[in-house]
Every structure is written in C-alpha cells, then in structure tokens.
Amino acid sequence: MQRLSQTISDLFPTGKGLLAADESTGSVGKRLTPIKVESTPENRRRFRELFLSAPGAEQYMSGVILVDETLRQSSSDGVPFAKVLADRGIVPGIKVDGGSKPLPGFPDEEVTEGLDGLAARLQEYASLGARFAKWRAVIRIGKGIPTSVCIETNALQLALYAGRCQEAGIVPMVEPEVLLDGAHTIADAERVTTDVLKTLIATLETHRVDLAGTIVKTSMVVPGKESGTLATPEQIAEATTRCLRSAIPKGVGGVVFLSGGQTSEQATLNLNAIAKLGPFEWPLTFCYARALQYPATDLWAGKDENLATARAAFIERLKANAAASTGNFS
Ligand code: 13P
C-alpha cells in the first residue's frame, strides 16, 4: 500500500499532468500514415521518442502511459524508455487491456478483454519499471444504449484488473471512456457518465479495491460530435464537476481526463474552466494523447531535422495544460 500511495503522490504534484502515449500499433499507424511515415517498429520507436525524450517535459509531465512495445524499446542512445522517464522523475505506466470486442447479444456495445494471464504480465511490467497500469472500457451513447449490461460488465472487468494491479504493487488507472461520437446532448452525456462512474465505484468497492490507490480516467461531459450543439467551457465545466462530485467519493487517488477527440485548444480551455470550479476532494489533471501530440506529430513529419520544432510545440501544449490544471491558463 505504501508503494501505491508513493506512486499516487509522484503522479499528482500540483501543476503537472500525464501523457497517454499508449495508442495501439494500429492507432499509431493512423497517426503515421498522414505524415507519410511507414508504421514499422523503428518508426514507432522514433515517434515515441519525439515525446518521451523531449527536454524540459519533466517540468509539466508527471507520468506517461506506454504500450508493451515501447516499454521494451530504448532511446536512440540505447537507454530503455522507462529509464529515460524515471531518471527525470516521470512515472512510467503501461496499458494492459487487450482492446474492446463486441458484447455478444448487444449490438453496438463492447466489452474490454485482457484478464487472461494478466497477473504474470503485471509482474513482468513492474520489473521493467511500470508503476501504474491503464485499462480502457468503451461506452457508446445512442438509441437505447448504453445498456446496464454493458456498463456493469465493463465495471466488473475493470474491478478485476484493478485488484490484480494492486496485488502487484501497481496503481490501476480505470478508464470507462464515454465516447464523444453520437448525436447526444450534454445532458445525456452527464446522465450516462454519472451512471457509469457510480457503477464503477460501487463495483470497485464490492471487489475491495483500494480507492486511495486507484486513478479514475474519465471523459469530460460534452455534447456528442453529431449533436449539432456546442457548449462553452463554462457549461462543460459545470456539467463535468457536477458529475464528478456526485460520482467520485473523497479519497480516490486521483482523477484524470482523456481528450477524446476534442481539439488541443478545447481540451485546454475546458480543463481550465473545470479547474476554476475547484478545489475537489481528489487531485485532478489531464492525461491526454491526441490533444498533446498535435500539432507536434505533423511538424515532425518523420524527419530528424524537425525534431526541435516539433518538441517545442509539444512542450507548448504541456505547458498550457499544466497551467490549465490549476485554472491558471490564459
Ligand atoms: P485521447 O486524449 O486522445 O482521447 O487519448 C487518451 C486515452 O488514453 C484514451 O484512451
């Protein structure tokens, strides 16, 4: 338990946040194809290195979620990426779920797999330097969905994985992502996200998961992309904080946001508006993939000579979100 609380305090110093560098091989390919870089293990390593070795990132970044491939790779000068991070005080983490698969009998709904062999994998990941682990469930809003079966089945998988993590001395980051895709209103998003988080917390408690050694990763409460409506950062902040305050009990280790397809600017402005409505009963910050990695990815374009410019753009996003995490972005 001492190990878990140390990891939590290392991940949540005031004014820092996390990078999710944990896209699956397929998703990294989707980032590399538009910049005309072939998705080979070496090019994926170079893509990760753009962010993981960025000088100065440690001022704003407390942790990074890696994937299996990256955890086994090294920087260009031969230092394992987990060590590159740890040497600068950045906590290495690892995505451990096996991806979401169709939920039999429930069209358009999914359940995340990956419990088989998890205990052994966690032990190995811990030996490679990982101190926290993420599992992502996918919740889609639509006609008649999400069903309670989808919400409860995913909560159960999350609780079982979280328990295994804590047994291995690894902090679980439980992520039920409520997708931005869809025509739902912000009120629909608030109702579903609240229900999903309440069900998750109750299931974690039933399974005796230590909430103080657990991080909840959530979507912000925003209207669906195809809803034809827009919400201001203030409206998003009101709905999101109402949701979190009603669903997340005092004493949870921390709460982090995914960016979920918001633009980089929206993700920063919304986080800033949310943080302004604090203080909260738990530390709260960002854990973005896309909103931190754009526009650096395009500026890099796979070329070493662009590395400095691309890294400057990445640091700018980190710095803006670090300020936003305390409500001080302007
Ligand atoms: P985005 O910030 O791009 O949504 O990714 C974060 C994440 O980890 C989603 O699972």
Side-chain angles (χ1 to χ4, degrees):
M1 290 301 156
Q2 175 59 33
R3 216 162 126 192
L4 299 181
S5 65
Q6 184 62 51
T7 300
I8 293 282
S9 63
D10 291 347
L11 283 171
F12 291 101
T14 305
K16 290 190 187 184
L18 289 79
L19 167 67
D22 65 342
E23 300 90 344
S24 62
T25 301
S27 297
V28 178
K30 287 188 209 152
R31 308 278 182 274
L32 297 182
T33 304
I35 57 169
K36 305 199 168 42
V37 174
E38 195 192 345
S39 181
T40 61
E42 172 56 11
N43 281 336
R44 291 194 291 274
R45 191 199 65 75
R46 293 173 62 239
F47 172 67
R48 302 302 192 184
E49 185 166 41
L50 158 63
F51 303 103
L52 303 183
S53 300
E58 65 277 6
Q59 293 171 68
Y60 314 107
M61 188 165 85
S62 58
V64 180
I65 317 172
L66 305 169
V67 292
D68 184 281
E69 179 181 71
T70 317
L71 187 62
R72 298 173 195 282
Q73 289 177 325
S74 297
S75 65
S76 297
D77 40 16
V79 183
F81 280 129
K83 183 165 160 51
V84 167
L85 296 171
D87 283 352
R88 291 185 293 153
I90 302 169
V91 182
I94 177 82
K95 178 171 76 173
V96 298
D97 66 66
S100 61
K101 306 284 151 56
L103 180 62
F106 293 82
D108 298 327
E109 295 199 293
E110 291 168 41
V111 59
T112 299
E113 297 185 344
L115 291 174
D116 284 356
L118 180 60
R121 283 196 288 136
L122 287 168
Q123 274 192 355
E124 192 199 1
Y125 290 146
S127 76
L128 291 170
R131 296 172 58 199
F132 69 103
K134 184 188 106 169
W135 180 290
R136 171 176 176 261
V138 176
I139 308 291
R140 189 170 283 109
I141 304 179
K143 200 166 183 304
I145 60 171
T147 61
S148 56
V149 172
C150 174
I151 294 172
E152 286 163 14
T153 306
N154 278 295
L156 176 61
Q157 307 300 305
L158 282 161
L160 292 171
Y161 123 88
R164 283 177 182 59
C165 285
Q166 291 187 337
E167 270 179 4
I170 288 181
V171 168
M173 178 185 277
V174 291
E175 179 185 26
E177 175 172 358
V178 176
L179 296 181
L180 190 63
D181 309 296
H184 51 275
T185 63
I186 190 168
D188 294 330
E190 182 176 347
R191 180 177 44 77
V192 170
T193 309
T194 305
D195 185 20
V196 164
L197 291 175
K198 281 187 172 171
T199 303
L200 173 61
I201 294 292
T203 311
L204 293 172
E205 284 176 330
T206 305
H207 284 263
R208 302 182 180 169
V209 173
D210 172 23
L211 293 183
T214 300
I215 299 166
V216 175
K217 180 162 179 173
T218 180
S219 315
M220 293 179 189
V221 174
V222 289
K225 243 195 297 191
E226 292 89 43
S227 66
T229 60
L230 289 174
T232 64
E234 289 69 31
Q235 289 167 326
I236 289 166
E238 288 282 341
T240 302
T241 54
R242 201 164 44 226
C243 163
L244 295 180
R245 285 189 166 116
S246 79
I248 312 281
K250 181 177 174 163
V252 164
V255 176
V256 296
F257 292 111
L258 57 99
S259 59
Q262 302 179 53
T263 65
S264 298
E265 289 72 22
Q266 284 168 339
T268 304
L269 292 172
N270 291 337
L271 176 64
N272 193 56
I274 289 167
K276 275 186 191 295
L277 299 184
F280 304 101
E281 306 269 28
W282 1 260
L284 181 84
T285 192
F286 60 92
C287 181
Y288 299 154
R290 285 165 284 182
L292 287 173
Q293 296 182 138
Y294 289 129
T297 306
D298 289 351
L299 291 168
W300 173 57
K303 299 194 173 78
D304 287 343
E305 63 264 32
N306 296 337
L307 210 47
T309 312
R311 282 182 171 156
F314 171 53
I315 296 289
E316 193 180 310
R317 290 323 317 155
L318 272 179
K319 191 175 175 180
N321 285 296
S325 73
T326 57
N328 288 307
F329 174 74
S330 59

